[in-house]
Amino acid sequence: MQDVATLMRYRLAMQRELGRGARKGLPVFARVYRRWLESRIRSRGVIPFIVEEERGGPIGSGLIWLTEDRPHLENLNVHVPRIHGVYVEPRVRRRGAATLLVREMLSWIRAHGYRRAVLRTSPRAEAMYVRFGFRRTAEMVREWRE
Ligand SMILES: CC(C)(COP(=O)(O)OP(=O)(O)OC[C@H]1O[C@@H](n2cnc3c(N)ncnc32)[C@H](O)[C@@H]1OP(=O)(O)O)[C@@H](O)C(=O)NCCC(=O)NCCS
């Protein structure tokens, strides 16, 4: 799976960029994440998207991850597509690559009949998602560090 190598490269670049690269656990994370990615791609629980330069190789990627949901009164589908890990190489940013990627992902989501998509984002990407019609919701989280 050549895609997996590209997806992993960008996943780890994103971790580094978000300041998590120095963490001791990164090699273990990489192994576990890769296994998760490969199995989800096989079962079609993850749909990978890779954006390429016109005459070149990959410059960015993102995933649609079909997470499980409960049936809602207005939506009986028990999967909700989650846009995950959108990353574009720093040297080609601000040229619309992420916009292209997200547009493709949203087309896939709509073409497959989903009526809802969710994501978590960084402050840098928020404006782009707002332009695509995303709005913030009020999810709360409680975390235990150990
Ligand atoms: C966030 C990220 C994916 C954006 O990628 P990108 O390819 O630079 O995004 P785009 O070019 O499509 O759009 C980014 C900006 O460039 C602007 N832009 C796009 N094409 C442009 C052009 N031709 N000229 C000038 N500006 C342009 C967009 O309007 C947008 O403006 P904004 O930053 O004020 O919202 C990228 O910076 C990244 O990988 N960051 C690290 C990881 C991350 O934060 N991921 C998001 C988590 S889900």
Side-chain angles (χ1 to χ4, degrees), residues 10-11 13-15 17-18 51 59-61 83-90 92-102 119-129 131-132:
Y10 291 143
R11 183 72 214 161
M14 167 126 75
Q15 295 293 118
E17 205 171 312
L18 299 176
V51 57
I59 52 170
S61 68
I83 290 181
H84 169 63
V86 171
Y87 183 86
V88 169
E89 286 186 23
V92 288
R93 283 188 187 160
R94 305 210 62 134
R95 293 199 213 149
T99 301
L100 196 74
L101 198 58
V102 172
L119 56 85
R120 255 193 237 159
T121 187
S122 61
R124 187 189 288 171
E126 181 158 343
M128 174 181 71
Y129 291 120
R131 280 196 292 273
F132 276 114

Side-chain angles (χ1 to χ4, degrees), residues 61-109:
S61 68
L63 308 175
I64 295 174
W65 169 22
L66 300 174
T67 55
E68 201 172 357
D69 196 7
R70 64 183 166 83
H72 291 257
L73 190 60
E74 60 288 356
N75 182 14
L76 299 179
N77 198 321
V78 292
H79 286 107
V80 58
R82 180 172 280 277
I83 290 181
H84 169 63
V86 171
Y87 183 86
V88 169
E89 286 186 23
R91 70 184 171 88
V92 288
R93 283 188 187 160
R94 305 210 62 134
R95 293 199 213 149
T99 301
L100 196 74
L101 198 58
V102 172
R103 189 174 296 129
E104 282 295 305
M105 294 165 105
L106 294 179
S107 299
W108 188 99
I109 288 167

